[in-house]
Amino acid sequence: MSQTLSSIGLQPATNPHLLSWVQECAALTQPERIIWCDGSQEECEALYAAAVEQGVLIRLNQEKLPGCYYHRSHPSDVARVEQCTYICTSAEVDAGPTNNWADPGPMREKLLGLARGSMRGRILYVVPYLMGPPGSPLSRVGVEITDSLYVVLNMRIMARMGRVALEALGDSNDFNRGLHCLLNLDPANRFICHFPERNEVISVGSGYGGNALLGKKCFALRIASWLGRQEGWMAEHMLILGVESPDGEKTFVAAAFPSQCGKTNFAMMVPPARFAGWKVWTVGDDIAWMKPGPDGRLHAINPEAGYFGVAPGTNARTNPNAMRSIQRDTIFTNVALKPDGTVWWEGHDDPPPAECLDWKGQPWTPGSKEKAAHPNSRFTAPMRNNPMLAPEAEDPRGVPIDALIFGGRRPNTVPLVFQAFHWSHGVFLGATMGSETTAAAAGAVGQVRRDPMAMLPFCGYNMGRYFRHWLDMRKRMKYPPRIFHVNWFRRDGNGTFLWPGYGENMRVLRWIIDRCRGRAGACETALGWVPRWEDFDTAGLPDLTPARFEELQAMNPDEWRREILQQDELFMNIYQFLPKELIFQRELLVARL
Ligand code: GTP
Ligand code: SPV
Ligand code: MN
């Protein structure tokens, strides 16, 4: 047992519900020792020291990257695993046709069997965490029990961890129970299971990201979406940002793009020179919890406290605020390690290093065939490092949302931007979203699939009822957000992106905000309202000619015929649960086309 850890940890909590659950888990997993994490600085230092001692982390160059560490996950454990992810409800219909379902009784038995004795000779960490700002009626407590030091250190960055969570919990029994066991990382024993009726998650056999940091996708999306439907709020795979105009007017928007489709980049965007005086503030980069406020508007909080961001492609041009955020107190996972103890990835500002170790720890040179960093390599950075962190990110009331934006990664068919005619049309746009698959989940990359509201892998219940919930939310708001659809990823005949993206997305954002405030023109089309050339700020972008703009916004009837047939496949799959409004919206679209 590590001496480094001998002096840390809280006294066991006094909350009887928490105490008895921890005792139950300890009796099952039989750890050598239990550490109750308090979130303090001393604890943090001891945990990092132990992680380095055990070879879980490598300490990076502390002069160049103070407080930064490096981790390699098992090469078979580098992404979310949708095939091994289950929603375990008493009735199968509650999980719905788009989720893997398992009978909760037998599944629990199987998981408890795998967990039995699995922490022998190891430490069981109790990680209490608060999702959302302290004092917010939207915030929730979770507790993760894990035998992974890497998970503890990531949770510490991603959520408000330790005492603050126990204080928020008090003597309540209302907290998410998350049990995480590494086992031996054999993919055959990898299961990410959700028991929404018990507000519980059991995850075994993976140490990576969304599979193992149970506050993130498991609690804050799958379980929270279930709770939100019952309690009249929404848990969405959305970034939240605030745009400040030169005269100080602030507008907040939330946007749902599927995994690895640009949320972190959009949330941290720096407006180009043309937009002197404009500022974009980040509230959150991955998850939004939203509820109508007393003012009749939809209010959003970011339940997280850090960014688990995609490393490849991140550089000073694409995302300068991310580059600043990862200069200290950051954990890098599955990137390349340079001889000077710094890190590198494909699309980094620095040229490829003459030699380094790749994400598997093998020697790598620019001549190597393999990539140096895994395409789903990530940084875990505290949001307080972001120079453009919105002060409102800590506001217990959340921020009022004026626009909701849906978007996917589509090489063709879908225009750069259009606006829904009204709320139910907007829900239809979200429900029919498609996007190319990415390295964020195990499996083939680059295949267009339906990913409604970017929630296909994250909706904790029946997708048809989820659409119903979206439609019903309209009645709870006096001033619902306007809904838009964007596509940064359209390509020309040579496969080159038609749109420069990143900071230039400010032009699209500006049109969206001006539409919300009744200041921008648009033209009605079959898909929705679209900006005309004269409605769109094109100054300072010489490549953006009227012809190029036309190409970006084009609607090709043959492509749309195919698109509607693909949308029908999802609708047919969930037909018996599909709200009628969405079928009507589909009919109206066909009629307009
Ligand atoms: P998750 O963390 O997986 O939920 O992903 P995310 O939605 O936050 O995606 P992220 O912002 O990390 O972007 C993923 C990839 O898309 C990166 O490789 C980016 O470089 C690329 N990307 C982001 N924004 C744009 C854009 O505007 N244009 C283009 N062409 N690529 C972009
Ligand atoms: C995603 O895949 O959407 C992520 C990364 O944000 S993970 O936390 O691994 O789910
Ligand atoms: Mn995500």
Side-chain angles (χ1 to χ4, degrees):
M1 179 66 41
S2 159
Q3 278 307 303
T4 332
L5 292 176
S6 57
S7 63
I8 63 161
L10 274 176
Q11 290 300 308
T14 51
N15 178 313
H17 313 285
L18 177 54
L19 210 51
S20 71
W21 174 62
V22 170
Q23 281 161 357
E24 228 174 84
C25 291
L28 177 77
T29 56
Q30 298 174 23
E32 184 170 315
R33 194 183 150 199
I34 299 177
I35 292 182
W36 290 74
C37 296
D38 65 5
S40 67
Q41 192 53 39
E42 308 82 82
E43 174 185 89
C44 168
E45 282 160 24
L47 292 174
Y48 273 117
V52 170
E53 197 178 275
Q54 292 169 23
V56 170
L57 293 179
I58 292 173
R59 186 174 278 116
L60 291 169
N61 184 324
Q62 295 297 297
E63 260 159 49
K64 293 179 175 163
L65 295 169
C68 293
Y69 293 82
Y70 177 84
H71 176 77
R72 286 188 196 104
S73 67
H74 190 277
S76 75
D77 187 29
V78 294
R80 284 182 295 100
V81 279
E82 295 178 3
Q83 315 77 347
C84 317
T85 302
Y86 290 84
I87 304 297
C88 308
T89 44
S90 328
E92 183 168 2
V93 56
D94 290 338
T98 59
N99 280 312
N100 299 316
W101 174 82
D103 193 342
M107 184 52 107
R108 274 181 69 80
E109 279 312 303
K110 172 152 112 178
L111 297 171
L112 299 186
L114 288 167
R116 190 159 291 126
S118 71
M119 297 191 192
R120 269 183 213 138
R122 301 172 61 76
I123 298 178
L124 178 158
Y125 297 91
V126 183
V127 183
Y129 61 93
L130 177 65
M131 298 303 278
S136 172
L138 278 156
S139 295
R140 294 261 172 168
V141 173
V143 182
E144 176 162 359
I145 288 180
T146 178
D147 58 348
S148 161
L149 201 39
Y150 171 78
V151 163
V152 176
L153 287 163
N154 275 270
M155 286 294 287
R156 202 189 144 268
I157 298 173
M158 294 305 296
R160 295 157 176 92
M161 188 260 255
R163 270 177 218 281
V164 61
L166 291 179
E167 272 159 28
L169 181 62
D171 274 336
S172 166
N173 191 21
D174 182 13
F175 63 97
N176 180 267
R177 289 161 164 78
L179 172 60
H180 171 247
C181 307
L182 282 173
L183 309 185
N184 61 359
L185 298 179
D186 175 0
N189 285 331
R190 189 168 291 163
F191 297 100
I192 324 297
C193 297
H194 306 73
F195 302 86
E197 289 147 341
R198 308 165 54 110
N199 192 0
E200 180 174 317
V201 179
I202 304 180
S203 165
V204 298
S206 167
Y208 186 83
N211 302 329
L213 311 177
L214 301 187
K216 197 170 175 58
K217 300 298 157 94
C218 298
F219 178 31
L221 286 179
R222 298 196 190 94
I223 298 283
S225 61
W226 171 286
L227 296 173
R229 174 170 178 258
Q230 290 179 338
E231 300 167 4
W233 53 282
M234 311 164 88
E236 299 297 331
H237 193 203
M238 287 183 177
L239 68 95
I240 308 163
L241 64 79
V243 183
E244 185 177 341
S245 71
D247 49 18
E249 174 194 81
K250 264 191 178 180
T251 311
F252 294 93
V253 314
F257 310 154
S259 302
Q260 288 208 5
C261 290
K263 288 182 299 303
T264 303
N265 281 272
F266 195 47
M268 300 178 94
M269 174 223 291
V270 176
R274 159 76 188 143
F275 288 81
W278 289 79
K279 289 183 188 141
V280 173
W281 298 93
T282 314
V283 179
D285 82 323
D286 197 48
I287 299 176
W289 285 357
M290 305 189 287
K291 188 176 185 179
D295 57 359
R297 302 169 78 185
L298 187 62
H299 284 250
I301 62 162
N302 170 16
E304 300 190 284
Y307 311 127
F308 186 60
V310 178
T314 306
N315 60 50
R317 183 188 70 84
T318 57
N319 197 343
N321 288 332
M323 290 308 284
R324 267 172 231 134
S325 305
I326 61 180
Q327 267 156 26
R328 55 177 60 244
D329 304 328
T330 295
I331 300 172
F332 295 91
T333 301
N334 294 341
V335 299
L337 179 60
K338 298 210 286 188
D340 69 347
T342 63
V343 289
W344 189 83
W345 47 77
E346 280 70 20
H348 196 282
D349 293 300
D350 298 342
E355 51 166 8
C356 65
L357 296 178
D358 70 8
W359 67 275
K360 291 179 181 164
Q362 301 297 318
W364 185 95
T365 67
S368 302
K369 284 203 177 57
E370 309 262 303
K371 289 195 150 78
H374 188 276
N376 194 34
S377 54
R378 301 254 169 182
F379 53 78
T380 318
M383 70 178 185
R384 72 177 129 75
N385 283 4
N386 179 358
M388 291 307 288
L389 176 67
E392 293 86 352
E394 297 288 351
D395 190 331
R397 294 165 303 182
V399 295
I401 299 294
D402 280 322
L404 295 174
I405 307 172
F406 295 117
R409 185 183 279 271
R410 297 299 298 269
N412 49 47
T413 316
V414 181
L416 176 65
V417 59
F418 56 102
Q419 180 183 359
F421 295 121
H422 45 68
W423 182 264
S424 29
H425 181 231
V427 174
F428 173 78
L429 295 182
T432 52
M433 252 170 78
S435 195
E436 289 182 333
T437 49
T438 66
V445 166
Q447 295 179 348
V448 172
R449 69 167 182 183
R450 293 301 116 188
D451 190 351
M453 281 87 171
M455 283 287 279
L456 181 73
F458 308 119
C459 181
Y461 61 98
N462 187 308
M463 190 61 84
R465 293 183 189 153
Y466 170 75
F467 295 159
R468 174 83 268 153
H469 181 50
W470 261 88
L471 291 165
D472 287 346
M473 286 304 293
R474 170 67 187 90
K475 300 173 203 138
R476 298 170 187 264
M477 291 179 270
K478 188 152 180 226
Y479 307 104
R482 307 296 154 99
I483 300 181
F484 298 81
H485 197 292
V486 300
N487 175 23
W488 314 141
F489 300 93
R490 200 164 191 174
R491 293 170 188 262
D492 66 13
N494 302 320
T496 321
F497 288 120
L498 281 165
W499 178 247
Y502 303 104
E504 301 298 344
N505 294 334
M506 183 65 206
R507 296 167 191 275
V508 176
L509 191 51
R510 166 114 202 241
W511 182 75
I512 287 174
I513 280 161
D514 285 346
R515 285 296 291 169
C516 292
R517 296 194 176 265
R519 295 190 292 233
C523 158
E524 190 182 324
T525 70
L527 296 186
W529 294 98
V530 302
R532 294 159 301 188
W533 173 252
E534 63 267 31
D535 301 319
F536 201 73
D537 189 336
T538 54
L541 250 193
D543 290 351
L544 186 59
T545 57
R548 167 71 67 103
F549 186 69
E550 200 113 311
E551 223 182 318
L552 274 162
Q553 289 292 78
M555 259 171 267
N556 176 316
D558 288 335
E559 285 179 344
W560 273 92
R561 194 184 307 265
R562 237 173 293 139
E563 174 71 9
I564 290 171
L565 291 174
Q566 282 169 21
Q567 296 178 357
D568 278 350
E569 279 177 31
L570 173 78
F571 275 17
M572 258 142 49
N573 191 14
I574 62 173
Y575 191 80
Q576 76 182 114
F577 313 103
L578 194 63
K580 280 225 169 42
E581 286 94 320
L582 297 186
I583 301 172
F584 297 153
Q585 286 300 330
R586 186 250 183 225
E587 292 300 305
L588 287 168
L589 172 62
V590 172
R592 287 195 302 265
L593 284 165

PDB file of all heavy atoms in Angstrom, residues 89 136 159 236 254 259 308 323 325 388 458 502 516 548 593:
ATOM      1  N   THR A  89     -34.383  -1.044 -17.477  1.00  0.00           N
ATOM      2  CA  THR A  89     -35.662  -0.642 -16.890  1.00  0.00           C
ATOM      3  C   THR A  89     -36.528  -1.887 -16.749  1.00  0.00           C
ATOM      4  O   THR A  89     -36.355  -2.845 -17.509  1.00  0.00           O
ATOM      5  CB  THR A  89     -36.365   0.369 -17.803  1.00  0.00           C
ATOM      6  OG1 THR A  89     -36.264  -0.101 -19.168  1.00  0.00           O
ATOM      7  CG2 THR A  89     -35.707   1.731 -17.731  1.00  0.00           C
ATOM      8  N   SER A 136     -27.671  25.969  -6.845  1.00  0.00           N
ATOM      9  CA  SER A 136     -28.636  26.035  -7.947  1.00  0.00           C
ATOM     10  C   SER A 136     -29.715  24.976  -7.764  1.00  0.00           C
ATOM     11  O   SER A 136     -29.423  23.822  -7.455  1.00  0.00           O
ATOM     12  CB  SER A 136     -27.932  25.807  -9.286  1.00  0.00           C
ATOM     13  OG  SER A 136     -28.907  25.695 -10.309  1.00  0.00           O
ATOM     14  N   ALA A 159     -15.858  17.787 -12.371  1.00  0.00           N
ATOM     15  CA  ALA A 159     -17.012  18.125 -11.529  1.00  0.00           C
ATOM     16  C   ALA A 159     -16.529  18.794 -10.253  1.00  0.00           C
ATOM     17  O   ALA A 159     -15.337  18.771  -9.938  1.00  0.00           O
ATOM     18  CB  ALA A 159     -17.805  16.866 -11.202  1.00  0.00           C
ATOM     19  N   GLU A 236     -29.348  17.758 -22.070  1.00  0.00           N
ATOM     20  CA  GLU A 236     -29.015  17.697 -23.491  1.00  0.00           C
ATOM     21  C   GLU A 236     -27.512  17.678 -23.736  1.00  0.00           C
ATOM     22  O   GLU A 236     -26.732  18.223 -22.954  1.00  0.00           O
ATOM     23  CB  GLU A 236     -29.632  18.900 -24.218  1.00  0.00           C
ATOM     24  CG  GLU A 236     -31.152  18.952 -24.131  1.00  0.00           C
ATOM     25  CD  GLU A 236     -31.849  17.765 -24.801  1.00  0.00           C
ATOM     26  OE1 GLU A 236     -31.283  17.205 -25.764  1.00  0.00           O
ATOM     27  OE2 GLU A 236     -32.950  17.399 -24.360  1.00  0.00           O
ATOM     28  N   ALA A 254     -27.580  27.619 -26.990  1.00  0.00           N
ATOM     29  CA  ALA A 254     -27.125  26.251 -26.704  1.00  0.00           C
ATOM     30  C   ALA A 254     -27.167  25.479 -28.010  1.00  0.00           C
ATOM     31  O   ALA A 254     -28.063  25.684 -28.828  1.00  0.00           O
ATOM     32  CB  ALA A 254     -28.017  25.596 -25.652  1.00  0.00           C
ATOM     33  N   SER A 259     -20.981  13.798 -30.989  1.00  0.00           N
ATOM     34  CA  SER A 259     -19.620  13.667 -30.484  1.00  0.00           C
ATOM     35  C   SER A 259     -18.600  13.968 -31.580  1.00  0.00           C
ATOM     36  O   SER A 259     -18.744  13.510 -32.709  1.00  0.00           O
ATOM     37  CB  SER A 259     -19.408  12.242 -29.961  1.00  0.00           C
ATOM     38  OG  SER A 259     -20.348  11.973 -28.954  1.00  0.00           O
ATOM     39  N   PHE A 308     -13.509  17.809 -21.214  1.00  0.00           N
ATOM     40  CA  PHE A 308     -12.859  16.571 -21.660  1.00  0.00           C
ATOM     41  C   PHE A 308     -12.840  16.678 -23.183  1.00  0.00           C
ATOM     42  O   PHE A 308     -13.707  16.146 -23.875  1.00  0.00           O
ATOM     43  CB  PHE A 308     -13.651  15.353 -21.157  1.00  0.00           C
ATOM     44  CG  PHE A 308     -13.006  14.025 -21.434  1.00  0.00           C
ATOM     45  CD1 PHE A 308     -11.743  13.722 -20.934  1.00  0.00           C
ATOM     46  CD2 PHE A 308     -13.657  13.066 -22.183  1.00  0.00           C
ATOM     47  CE1 PHE A 308     -11.153  12.480 -21.190  1.00  0.00           C
ATOM     48  CE2 PHE A 308     -13.075  11.820 -22.446  1.00  0.00           C
ATOM     49  CZ  PHE A 308     -11.815  11.538 -21.946  1.00  0.00           C
ATOM     50  N   MET A 323      -6.200  26.117 -26.183  1.00  0.00           N
ATOM     51  CA  MET A 323      -4.740  26.031 -26.028  1.00  0.00           C
ATOM     52  C   MET A 323      -4.307  26.704 -24.729  1.00  0.00           C
ATOM     53  O   MET A 323      -3.433  26.210 -24.020  1.00  0.00           O
ATOM     54  CB  MET A 323      -4.023  26.664 -27.227  1.00  0.00           C
ATOM     55  CG  MET A 323      -4.157  25.887 -28.531  1.00  0.00           C
ATOM     56  SD  MET A 323      -3.706  24.142 -28.423  1.00  0.00           S
ATOM     57  CE  MET A 323      -1.927  24.214 -28.374  1.00  0.00           C
ATOM     58  N   SER A 325      -6.198  27.017 -22.096  1.00  0.00           N
ATOM     59  CA  SER A 325      -6.774  26.259 -20.964  1.00  0.00           C
ATOM     60  C   SER A 325      -5.950  25.036 -20.597  1.00  0.00           C
ATOM     61  O   SER A 325      -6.052  24.532 -19.480  1.00  0.00           O
ATOM     62  CB  SER A 325      -8.197  25.809 -21.300  1.00  0.00           C
ATOM     63  OG  SER A 325      -8.991  26.904 -21.673  1.00  0.00           O
ATOM     64  N   MET A 388     -11.992  32.891 -21.401  1.00  0.00           N
ATOM     65  CA  MET A 388     -13.310  33.404 -21.748  1.00  0.00           C
ATOM     66  C   MET A 388     -14.436  32.650 -21.039  1.00  0.00           C
ATOM     67  O   MET A 388     -15.555  32.557 -21.554  1.00  0.00           O
ATOM     68  CB  MET A 388     -13.504  33.366 -23.276  1.00  0.00           C
ATOM     69  CG  MET A 388     -12.622  34.355 -24.024  1.00  0.00           C
ATOM     70  SD  MET A 388     -12.759  36.060 -23.412  1.00  0.00           S
ATOM     71  CE  MET A 388     -14.388  36.472 -24.012  1.00  0.00           C
ATOM     72  N   PHE A 458     -27.099   8.795 -25.893  1.00  0.00           N
ATOM     73  CA  PHE A 458     -27.176   9.354 -24.539  1.00  0.00           C
ATOM     74  C   PHE A 458     -28.577   9.499 -23.968  1.00  0.00           C
ATOM     75  O   PHE A 458     -28.740   9.907 -22.822  1.00  0.00           O
ATOM     76  CB  PHE A 458     -26.486  10.721 -24.498  1.00  0.00           C
ATOM     77  CG  PHE A 458     -25.090  10.704 -25.063  1.00  0.00           C
ATOM     78  CD1 PHE A 458     -24.747  11.479 -26.161  1.00  0.00           C
ATOM     79  CD2 PHE A 458     -24.123   9.879 -24.506  1.00  0.00           C
ATOM     80  CE1 PHE A 458     -23.469  11.454 -26.684  1.00  0.00           C
ATOM     81  CE2 PHE A 458     -22.837   9.845 -25.031  1.00  0.00           C
ATOM     82  CZ  PHE A 458     -22.500  10.632 -26.121  1.00  0.00           C
ATOM     83  N   TYR A 502     -14.631  27.223 -37.553  1.00  0.00           N
ATOM     84  CA  TYR A 502     -13.976  27.766 -36.350  1.00  0.00           C
ATOM     85  C   TYR A 502     -14.428  29.212 -36.103  1.00  0.00           C
ATOM     86  O   TYR A 502     -15.635  29.472 -36.059  1.00  0.00           O
ATOM     87  CB  TYR A 502     -12.462  27.611 -36.480  1.00  0.00           C
ATOM     88  CG  TYR A 502     -12.080  26.147 -36.695  1.00  0.00           C
ATOM     89  CD1 TYR A 502     -11.698  25.682 -37.953  1.00  0.00           C
ATOM     90  CD2 TYR A 502     -12.162  25.237 -35.650  1.00  0.00           C
ATOM     91  CE1 TYR A 502     -11.376  24.336 -38.150  1.00  0.00           C
ATOM     92  CE2 TYR A 502     -11.844  23.895 -35.842  1.00  0.00           C
ATOM     93  CZ  TYR A 502     -11.455  23.454 -37.075  1.00  0.00           C
ATOM     94  OH  TYR A 502     -11.161  22.128 -37.271  1.00  0.00           O
ATOM     95  N   CYS A 516     -32.988  36.184 -33.765  1.00  0.00           N
ATOM     96  CA  CYS A 516     -33.688  36.101 -32.471  1.00  0.00           C
ATOM     97  C   CYS A 516     -34.156  37.472 -32.017  1.00  0.00           C
ATOM     98  O   CYS A 516     -35.184  37.604 -31.367  1.00  0.00           O
ATOM     99  CB  CYS A 516     -32.773  35.525 -31.397  1.00  0.00           C
ATOM    100  SG  CYS A 516     -32.352  33.801 -31.654  1.00  0.00           S
ATOM    101  N   ARG A 548     -19.994  30.840 -54.057  1.00  0.00           N
ATOM    102  CA  ARG A 548     -19.643  29.917 -52.978  1.00  0.00           C
ATOM    103  C   ARG A 548     -20.769  29.868 -51.930  1.00  0.00           C
ATOM    104  O   ARG A 548     -21.127  28.798 -51.413  1.00  0.00           O
ATOM    105  CB  ARG A 548     -18.321  30.393 -52.350  1.00  0.00           C
ATOM    106  CG  ARG A 548     -17.923  29.759 -51.033  1.00  0.00           C
ATOM    107  CD  ARG A 548     -17.484  28.306 -51.177  1.00  0.00           C
ATOM    108  NE  ARG A 548     -16.241  28.176 -51.910  1.00  0.00           N
ATOM    109  CZ  ARG A 548     -15.055  27.942 -51.347  1.00  0.00           C
ATOM    110  NH1 ARG A 548     -14.960  27.807 -50.056  1.00  0.00           N
ATOM    111  NH2 ARG A 548     -13.983  27.823 -52.084  1.00  0.00           N
ATOM    112  N   LEU A 593     -41.313  20.361 -50.695  1.00  0.00           N
ATOM    113  CA  LEU A 593     -40.259  20.026 -51.659  1.00  0.00           C
ATOM    114  C   LEU A 593     -40.846  19.676 -53.017  1.00  0.00           C
ATOM    115  O   LEU A 593     -40.183  19.717 -54.030  1.00  0.00           O
ATOM    116  CB  LEU A 593     -39.416  18.859 -51.137  1.00  0.00           C
ATOM    117  CG  LEU A 593     -38.420  19.230 -50.033  1.00  0.00           C
ATOM    118  CD1 LEU A 593     -37.915  17.978 -49.340  1.00  0.00           C
ATOM    119  CD2 LEU A 593     -37.237  20.012 -50.587  1.00  0.00           C
TER     120      LEU A 593
END
